[in-house]
Coordinates of all heavy atoms in Angstrom, one line a residue:
T146 N 4.2 3.9 -9.1 CA 3.8 2.8 -10.0 C 3.4 1.6 -9.2 O 3.8 1.5 -8.0 CB 5.1 2.4 -10.8 OG1 6.1 1.8 -10.0 CG2 5.7 3.6 -11.5
W147 N 2.5 0.8 -9.8 CA 2.0 -0.4 -9.1 C 1.5 -1.4 -10.1 O 1.4 -1.1 -11.3 CB 0.9 0.0 -8.1 CG -0.4 0.4 -8.7 CD1 -1.5 -0.3 -9.0 CD2 -0.7 1.8 -9.1 NE1 -2.5 0.5 -9.5 CE2 -2.0 1.7 -9.6 CE3 0.0 3.0 -9.1 CZ2 -2.7 2.9 -10.1 CZ3 -0.7 4.1 -9.6 CH2 -2.0 4.1 -10.1
Q148 N 1.3 -2.6 -9.7 CA 0.8 -3.7 -10.5 C -0.5 -4.3 -9.9 O -0.6 -4.3 -8.7 CB 1.8 -4.8 -10.7 CG 3.1 -4.3 -11.4 CD 4.1 -5.5 -11.5 OE1 4.2 -6.4 -10.7 NE2 4.9 -5.5 -12.6
I149 N -1.4 -4.7 -10.8 CA -2.6 -5.4 -10.4 C -2.7 -6.7 -11.2 O -2.6 -6.6 -12.4 CB -3.8 -4.5 -10.6 CG1 -3.8 -3.3 -9.7 CG2 -5.1 -5.3 -10.2 CD1 -4.9 -2.3 -10.0
P150 N -2.9 -7.9 -10.5 CA -3.1 -9.1 -11.3 C -4.2 -8.9 -12.3 O -5.3 -8.4 -11.9 CB -3.4 -10.1 -10.2 CG -2.7 -9.6 -9.0 CD -2.8 -8.1 -9.1
T151 N -4.0 -9.3 -13.5 CA -5.0 -9.1 -14.6 C -6.3 -9.7 -14.3 O -7.4 -9.1 -14.6 CB -4.4 -9.6 -15.9 OG1 -3.1 -9.0 -16.2 CG2 -5.4 -9.4 -17.1
N152 N -6.3 -10.8 -13.6 CA -7.6 -11.5 -13.4 C -8.2 -11.2 -12.0 O -9.1 -11.9 -11.6 CB -7.4 -13.0 -13.5 CG -6.4 -13.6 -12.5 OD1 -5.7 -12.8 -11.8 ND2 -6.4 -14.9 -12.3
V153 N -7.8 -10.2 -11.3 CA -8.3 -9.9 -10.0 C -9.2 -8.6 -10.1 O -8.7 -7.5 -10.2 CB -7.2 -9.7 -9.0 CG1 -7.8 -9.3 -7.6 CG2 -6.4 -10.9 -8.8
A154 N -10.5 -8.8 -10.1 CA -11.4 -7.7 -10.3 C -11.4 -6.7 -9.2 O -11.5 -5.5 -9.3 CB -12.9 -8.2 -10.5
A155 N -11.1 -7.2 -7.9 CA -11.1 -6.4 -6.8 C -10.0 -5.3 -6.9 O -10.1 -4.2 -6.5 CB -10.9 -7.2 -5.5
G156 N -8.8 -5.8 -7.4 CA -7.7 -4.9 -7.6 C -8.0 -3.7 -8.5 O -7.7 -2.6 -8.3
K157 N -8.8 -4.1 -9.6 CA -9.1 -3.0 -10.6 C -10.1 -2.1 -9.9 O -10.1 -0.8 -10.2 CB -9.7 -3.7 -11.8 CG -8.7 -4.5 -12.6 CD -9.3 -5.1 -13.9 CE -8.3 -5.9 -14.6 NZ -7.0 -5.2 -14.9
H158 N -11.1 -2.6 -9.1 CA -12.0 -1.7 -8.5 C -11.3 -0.8 -7.5 O -11.7 0.4 -7.4 CB -13.1 -2.5 -7.7 CG -14.0 -1.7 -6.9 ND1 -15.0 -1.0 -7.4 CD2 -14.0 -1.3 -5.6 CE1 -15.7 -0.3 -6.5 NE2 -15.0 -0.5 -5.4
A159 N -10.3 -1.2 -6.9 CA -9.6 -0.4 -5.9 C -9.0 0.8 -6.5 O -8.9 1.9 -5.8 CB -8.4 -1.3 -5.2
T160 N -8.6 0.8 -7.7 CA -8.1 2.0 -8.3 C -9.0 2.7 -9.3 O -8.6 3.6 -10.0 CB -6.8 1.6 -9.1 OG1 -7.1 0.6 -10.1 CG2 -5.7 1.1 -8.1
S161 N -10.3 2.3 -9.3 CA -11.2 2.8 -10.3 C -11.5 4.3 -10.1 O -11.8 5.1 -11.0 CB -12.6 2.1 -10.2 OG -13.2 2.2 -8.9
K162 N -11.3 4.8 -8.8 CA -11.5 6.2 -8.6 C -10.5 7.1 -9.2 O -10.6 8.3 -9.3 CB -11.5 6.5 -7.1 CG -12.8 6.0 -6.4 CD -12.8 6.5 -4.9 CE -14.1 6.0 -4.2 NZ -14.2 6.5 -2.9
W163 N -9.4 6.5 -9.7 CA -8.3 7.2 -10.4 C -8.4 7.1 -11.9 O -7.6 7.6 -12.6 CB -7.0 6.7 -9.9 CG -6.8 6.7 -8.4 CD1 -7.0 5.7 -7.6 CD2 -6.5 7.8 -7.6 NE1 -6.8 6.1 -6.3 CE2 -6.5 7.4 -6.3 CE3 -6.2 9.2 -7.9 CZ2 -6.2 8.2 -5.2 CZ3 -5.9 10.0 -6.8 CH2 -5.9 9.5 -5.5
D164 N -9.5 6.4 -12.4 CA -9.6 6.2 -13.8 C -9.6 7.6 -14.5 O -10.2 8.5 -14.1 CB -10.9 5.5 -14.1 CG -10.9 4.0 -13.8 OD1 -9.8 3.5 -13.5 OD2 -11.9 3.3 -13.9
G165 N -8.8 7.6 -15.6 CA -8.7 8.8 -16.4 C -7.6 9.7 -16.0 O -7.2 10.7 -16.6
F166 N -6.9 9.4 -14.8 CA -5.8 10.2 -14.3 C -4.6 9.3 -14.1 O -3.6 9.8 -13.5 CB -6.2 10.8 -13.0 CG -7.4 11.8 -13.1 CD1 -8.7 11.3 -13.0 CD2 -7.2 13.1 -13.4 CE1 -9.8 12.2 -13.1 CE2 -8.2 14.0 -13.6 CZ -9.5 13.5 -13.4
T167 N -4.6 8.1 -14.6 CA -3.4 7.2 -14.5 C -3.0 6.8 -15.9 O -3.7 7.0 -16.9 CB -3.8 5.9 -13.7 OG1 -4.8 5.2 -14.3 CG2 -4.2 6.3 -12.3
T168 N -1.8 6.2 -15.9 CA -1.3 5.8 -17.2 C -1.1 4.2 -17.2 O -0.5 3.7 -16.2 CB 0.1 6.4 -17.5 OG1 0.0 7.8 -17.5 CG2 0.7 5.9 -18.8
A169 N -1.7 3.6 -18.1 CA -1.5 2.1 -18.2 C -0.2 1.9 -18.9 O 0.1 2.5 -20.0 CB -2.7 1.5 -19.0
A170 N 0.6 1.0 -18.3 CA 2.0 0.7 -18.9 C 2.2 -0.7 -19.3 O 3.2 -1.3 -19.0 CB 3.0 1.2 -17.8

Side-chain angles (χ1 to χ4, degrees):
T146 67
W147 68 97
Q148 294 180 329
I149 297 174
T151 302
N152 63 345
V153 178
K157 294 183 182 302
H158 174 79
T160 57
S161 62
K162 289 187 176 182
W163 305 98
D164 285 352
F166 297 89
T167 60
T168 302

